[in-house]
Amino acid sequence: MKYKGLICAMITPLDENQNINPKATCELIDYLINKGVSGLFILGTNGECHVLTDDEKVEFAKIVVKHTNNRVPVFVGTGGNSTREVINLSKRMEEIGASALSIITPYFVPPTQNELIAHYKAIAESVNLPIMMYNMPGKTGINIEPESVRELAKVKNIVGIKDSSGKLDNMKAYLEVTKGEDFSVFSGSDSLILDILKAGGHGAVAATANFLAGIDIAIYDNFIKGDLEAAQKAQNSIEELRRILKLGTIPSVIKKAVVLNGIDVGPARFPVTQPTGEVLEEIKKVVENYKKEFNKDL
């Protein structure tokens, strides 16, 4: 089965003491599923995977899997630098009922393409869950090259890739080398949702959906219906949110937007701090403008 649609790169709600907040997590899950997302992608970049312990990741995944209750697939991030540690965490996530795994490339010391292929193959052999690779060269220092994707797409349970390179040509190359495979290519760059769909891609994993789920889904739905004008209008309308996301360290701004929209997902984990001053005022203004213009479409 090919995965497709608009999947939310879900934030991780925390309380005032920086601990996982189960209540807000469940509220956010219900909000996103009721809006119509095709899946939940947890413990990614905007999910603060890099500042959570493995035990916290398992704790959070248990909450999400249980509350989602098979309404949509739950993609759980288990990536890391050590193949052994990724395998151990992936097995734990399989035990608690994750639908699929999301595995970012190793980072800090970027491996060669051959090492990367061996890394993903070893993980795939250790679990039965579907695996979506996660390419984010701007943060990891390594790009999963198309020829590597060609080889890895032949592995039975490696079923797709989220590409956050921001390069449409890179995604098009992934589509080209995986023709005929049961393999999905998703944009991880929210600015390219419509572009990847036009190129033959299968959807997007979007962080903006935490606040603009209805608008992001409208990009996909209108494209599928053949209404490219409406799809483009929806694509253009997320740019104002994307602009202010750059005003703070990930994921402080998107978290504040969600809080202002009525779900108390709390702050980011330290050392990232909450927006204040002029930045906070700008976020408030943009959120209010979205509410006035789109209201129930958010």
Side-chain angles (χ1 to χ4, degrees):
M1 179 190 77
K2 277 188 179 179
Y3 290 109
K4 59 185 179 180
L6 196 290
I7 297 168
C8 180
M10 193 175 124
I11 54 181
T12 301
L14 301 178
D15 62 25
E16 59 185 12
N17 296 315
Q18 300 261 301
N19 297 315
I20 290 166
N21 185 333
K23 180 176 180 291
T25 298
C26 294
E27 288 177 7
L28 183 58
I29 290 168
D30 289 339
Y31 167 80
L32 294 169
I33 293 176
N34 290 338
K35 284 295 178 184
V37 297
S38 302
L40 302 174
F41 181 100
I42 66 170
L43 300 173
T45 308
N46 281 274
E48 302 179 84
C49 64
H50 49 289
V51 290
L52 297 171
T53 67
D54 280 1
D55 285 345
E56 286 178 314
K57 291 177 183 180
V58 172
E59 174 193 349
F60 183 66
K62 282 180 179 178
I63 295 166
V64 176
V65 168
K66 181 179 179 180
H67 193 72
T68 301
N69 194 26
N70 296 314
R71 288 179 285 172
V72 296
V74 177
F75 299 80
V76 180
T78 58
N81 284 319
S82 160
T83 305
R84 177 184 289 187
E85 289 183 6
V86 174
I87 288 173
N88 288 340
L89 183 57
S90 296
K91 286 180 176 179
R92 293 176 72 183
M93 295 305 187
E94 185 169 29
E95 288 174 2
I96 67 172
S99 310
L101 301 174
S102 157
I103 300 179
I104 198 166
T105 61
Y107 44 88
F108 191 66
V109 177
T112 67
Q113 293 297 306
N114 285 338
E115 289 168 337
L116 201 56
I117 289 168
H119 174 72
Y120 277 113
K121 284 185 174 180
I123 298 163
E125 289 170 3
S126 73
V127 295
N128 295 310
L129 290 178
I131 291 171
M132 181 185 290
M133 296 181 289
Y134 183 180
N135 188 51
M136 197 178 196
K139 298 282 192 247
T140 64
I142 184 172
N143 188 59
I144 309 177
E145 297 298 334
E147 285 305 311
S148 299
V149 172
R150 185 197 300 274
E151 181 169 346
L152 290 166
K154 298 182 186 303
V155 177
K156 183 179 179 182
N157 57 329
I158 297 180
V159 299
I161 189 165
K162 173 193 175 184
D163 182 46
S164 296
S165 68
K167 297 178 179 178
L168 185 60
D169 285 347
N170 199 58
M171 287 185 267
K172 286 180 176 178
Y174 291 162
L175 288 167
E176 182 63 31
V177 299
T178 58
K179 279 182 178 176
E181 300 287 351
D182 193 15
F183 191 87
S184 301
V185 176
F186 284 82
S187 174
S189 302
D190 295 18
S191 61
L192 298 175
I193 298 172
L194 185 55
D195 286 337
I196 187 60
L197 292 171
K198 288 179 178 177
H202 304 91
V205 180
T208 53
N210 286 284
F211 174 53
L212 299 181
I215 297 174
D216 281 346
I217 291 165
I219 302 172
Y220 181 83
D221 287 350
N222 282 306
F223 174 81
I224 295 300
K225 290 189 294 187
D227 191 343
L228 294 184
E229 183 177 348
Q232 187 65 63
K233 183 178 179 182
Q235 178 71 70
N236 294 344
S237 71
I238 72 172
E239 285 306 303
E240 184 67 351
L241 178 60
R242 291 188 66 252
R243 176 184 70 81
I244 65 168
L245 292 180
K246 300 178 179 69
L247 300 179
T249 305
I250 294 174
S252 61
V253 175
I254 190 65
K255 278 195 153 183
K256 181 56 69 175
V258 174
V259 170
L260 293 171
N261 198 35
I263 302 175
D264 189 7
V265 296
R269 178 162 279 184
F270 297 143
V272 178
T273 56
Q274 296 203 61
T276 57
E278 292 181 1
V279 171
L280 177 57
E281 292 307 310
E282 185 69 6
I283 296 168
K284 288 179 178 178
K285 184 178 78 172
V286 169
V287 168
E288 283 307 309
N289 287 342
Y290 270 114
K291 286 183 176 181
K292 288 176 184 175
E293 185 173 355
F294 297 100
N295 195 13
K296 67 179 186 297
D297 294 329
L298 292 180

